Amino acid sequence: MQERLQELKADALKQVEEANEVKALQDVKVQYLGKKGPITEVLKGMGKLPKEERPVIGQLANDVREEIATAIETKKQKLENEALEKQLEEETIDVTLPGRPAPTGGPHLLTNLIEEIEDLFIGMGFEVAEGPEVEADYYNFEALNLPKGHPARDMQDSFYITEEILMRTHTSPVQARTMEKHEGKGPVKIICPGKVYRRDTDDATHSHQFTQIEGLLVDKHVRMSDLKGVLNAFAKQMFGEEREIRLRPSFFPFTEPSVEMDISCKMCGGEGCSVCKGTGWIEILGAGMVHPNVLEMAGYDPKEYTGFAFGMGPERIAMLKYGIDDIRHFYTNDVRFLNQFHKA
């Protein structure tokens, strides 16, 4: 069997030496090193050998296989180099000329901003949760303390597919679904980014489709001061350490109490200007403590668990942060606009 292996090696190396193209080398490789090759057959027959001969034959077979493979690779490299040299000699193109740089794209401004916000909240221990854009009426409204016929539904008129299926009007359904999965046991600490849809007339500040990021924290002993601390950290990270925040009473059916959060105007430092309409403050998002009814419908005992929720629009944040005056710029795909924020 040793003689057989030596013969195979000699034959293979001879064919490698005589090969004058890469395809011929590949044929040699398949012929001698393939699964049905003679070396593989030798290895399969080792079971018939005496035990003391098996290690010797096995080592020899591996050495032969490695030597053939090395010879093939060396010859292949040689042939490729020769082919390249021949090609360079035949071509008349000056390959020393610098290449033409291909224009590269990048993430959309909103994508960058959403990922920045995600990273910020992940750093505070939140997880990113997602859900369907085509949503059930129950999760979009009823599970959020908005039963059928509730007047607050008029503020979120949407695109209905059936009477019970619609394009979601906010990412709050993700919160309801996540709480439901936890079966009344905390804690829940998530942010929910995604597209939402409403039957708005498109203008400089409204769009029938836009993005939203909502946050939710449910646990024992969660307080309004916890909400303020999280929002304060968000505002300073996103708009600068010098920014101040204020919370104003408001109304949302799914939170009680509810607040609107304003940040001090960065254009005038809170002194009052045309951007903030003379108030020194700019509205940025809505928030509040999760309504007991919402907790109860999700399976939580509102006497044991409390929580806070908040929601913001990345488009609005981008408009304030970068001085963009029309929400439609985000969606018209004007490269002149997008290129301004390629590195943002």
Side-chain angles (χ1 to χ4, degrees):
M1 192 170 285
Q2 292 184 34
E3 293 177 358
R4 173 62 175 156
L5 287 170
Q6 293 295 348
E7 290 176 0
L8 290 172
K9 182 178 77 170
D11 292 342
L13 294 179
K14 181 180 179 182
Q15 291 188 42
V16 169
E17 184 63 28
E18 294 174 351
N20 54 13
E21 57 182 13
V22 175
K23 183 180 182 304
L25 286 176
Q26 184 63 27
D27 292 341
V28 174
K29 184 176 182 180
V30 173
Q31 179 182 349
Y32 287 93
L33 303 182
K35 293 183 179 180
K36 297 182 180 180
I39 296 179
T40 303
E41 293 299 324
V42 170
L43 292 173
K44 289 180 179 179
M46 286 180 58
K48 300 177 182 179
L49 296 175
K51 290 184 178 179
E52 61 274 11
E53 293 184 20
R54 292 177 190 172
V56 177
I57 298 302
Q59 181 63 47
L60 179 59
N62 287 332
D63 291 345
V64 169
R65 179 192 292 270
E66 185 175 345
E67 190 171 345
I68 295 173
T70 301
I72 291 173
E73 187 60 33
T74 301
K75 186 62 178 289
K76 178 183 177 184
Q77 189 66 46
K78 179 182 177 183
L79 292 174
E80 289 177 345
N81 290 339
E82 291 175 351
L84 179 59
E85 290 176 5
K86 182 179 179 182
Q87 182 181 6
L88 291 174
E89 290 176 0
E90 294 176 350
E91 290 180 346
T92 57
I93 299 174
D94 185 356
V95 295
T96 63
L97 289 172
R100 297 177 181 176
T104 58
H108 192 278
L109 170 61
L110 290 179
T111 301
N112 278 336
L113 184 65
I114 290 171
E115 290 179 352
E116 181 182 352
I117 295 172
E118 287 177 350
D119 290 342
L120 193 160
F121 281 102
I122 288 172
M124 289 192 279
F126 287 77
E127 296 180 350
V128 177
E130 297 180 338
E133 295 178 22
V134 180
E135 187 56 273
D137 181 272
Y138 173 79
Y139 289 108
N140 197 80
F141 290 125
E142 295 181 41
L144 301 171
N145 203 35
L146 281 161
K148 294 183 184 301
H150 195 291
R153 286 196 180 202
D154 293 341
M155 295 186 296
Q156 297 190 18
D157 196 12
S158 182
F159 301 95
Y160 279 83
I161 297 171
T162 70
E163 290 187 2
E164 299 298 328
I165 302 294
L166 70 156
M167 304 299 292
R168 67 182 181 188
T169 61
H170 45 190
T171 58
S172 300
V174 181
Q175 299 180 23
R177 288 177 176 274
T178 302
M179 286 191 290
E180 189 177 77
K181 288 179 181 178
H182 279 71
E183 299 179 341
K185 298 177 182 179
V188 176
K189 197 173 183 182
I190 59 171
I191 59 168
C192 317
K195 295 178 184 177
V196 297
Y197 306 85
R198 297 184 188 178
R199 289 181 61 187
D200 280 332
T201 300
D202 289 5
D203 57 28
T205 57
H206 297 84
S207 174
H208 65 281
Q209 173 198 295
F210 54 98
T211 57
Q212 194 175 65
I213 297 179
E214 298 196 11
L216 172 72
L217 192 155
V218 175
D219 203 352
K220 298 177 181 179
H221 314 300
V222 177
R223 301 164 297 182
M224 177 70 81
S225 57
D226 299 318
L227 169 62
K228 183 177 180 180
V230 168
L231 296 182
N232 188 54
F234 162 75
K236 291 183 179 298
Q237 181 71 26
M238 186 60 56
F239 296 100
E241 288 294 329
E242 68 279 8
R243 296 280 71 76
E244 300 292 334
I245 71 168
R246 74 174 182 181
L247 302 180
R248 295 179 288 104
S250 186
F251 168 77
F252 302 108
F254 27 82
T255 53
E256 180 60 39
S258 303
V259 296
E260 297 275 2
M261 186 184 98
D262 302 331
I263 60 169
S264 56
C265 179
K266 70 175 184 177
M267 301 301 294
C268 64
E271 296 296 325
C273 65
S274 59
V275 175
C276 61
K277 299 179 181 179
T279 65
W281 298 92
I282 298 176
E283 179 185 327
I284 194 69
L285 57 82
M289 301 301 292
V290 179
H291 199 291
N293 290 350
V294 175
L295 291 171
E296 194 168 5
M297 282 187 284
Y300 287 86
D301 182 355
K303 295 180 180 178
E304 183 178 4
Y305 285 92
T306 54
F308 64 72
F310 56 85
M312 66 187 78
E315 286 90 346
R316 177 166 178 76
I317 293 174
M319 292 172 77
L320 293 173
K321 188 172 183 178
Y322 300 113
I324 299 168
D325 60 0
D326 194 323
I327 193 174
R328 291 171 291 193
H329 290 321
F330 294 118
Y331 305 115
T332 52
N333 297 323
D334 189 329
V335 177
R336 295 170 300 176
F337 168 78
L338 297 175
N339 279 339
Q340 298 177 60
F341 307 98
H342 183 47
K343 302 295 184 181

